[in-house]
């Protein structure tokens, strides 16, 4: 459906918008939910798999500020 023909009619524009919102809701609703996301966010690791410490974060901050 061409977007130039959609907005010639108010009702077609409303149907198009409803379909777009439905698509967005369907895509966003299909994301996995649960406790896995919370535990992964709390246990941040570096490239080697080791947990990131406060000292690591401080060194990174200092390196970024030196630029």
């Amino acid at each position: 459906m061409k977007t130039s023909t959609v907005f010639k009619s108010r009702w077609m524009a409303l149907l198009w918008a409803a379909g777009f919102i439905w698509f967005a809701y369907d895509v966003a609703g299909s994301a996995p939910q649960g406790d896995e996301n919370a535990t992964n966010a709390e246990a941040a690791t570096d490239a080697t798999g080791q947990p990131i410490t406060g000292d690591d974060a401080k060194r990174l901050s200092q390196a970024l500020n030196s630029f």
Side-chain angles (χ1 to χ4, degrees), residues 1 5 7 11 14 20 26 28 30 37-38 41-42 48-49 54 56-57 67:
M1 180 177 272
T5 59
F7 296 108
W11 293 109
L14 285 173
F20 191 80
D26 190 37
S30 64
N37 293 338
E42 293 172 8
T48 62
D56 294 335
F67 284 116

Side-chain angles (χ1 to χ4, degrees), residues 50-62:
Q50 299 297 320
I52 297 174
T53 63
D55 191 39
D56 294 335
K58 189 175 185 180
R59 280 189 278 153
L60 176 63
S61 176
Q62 289 172 350

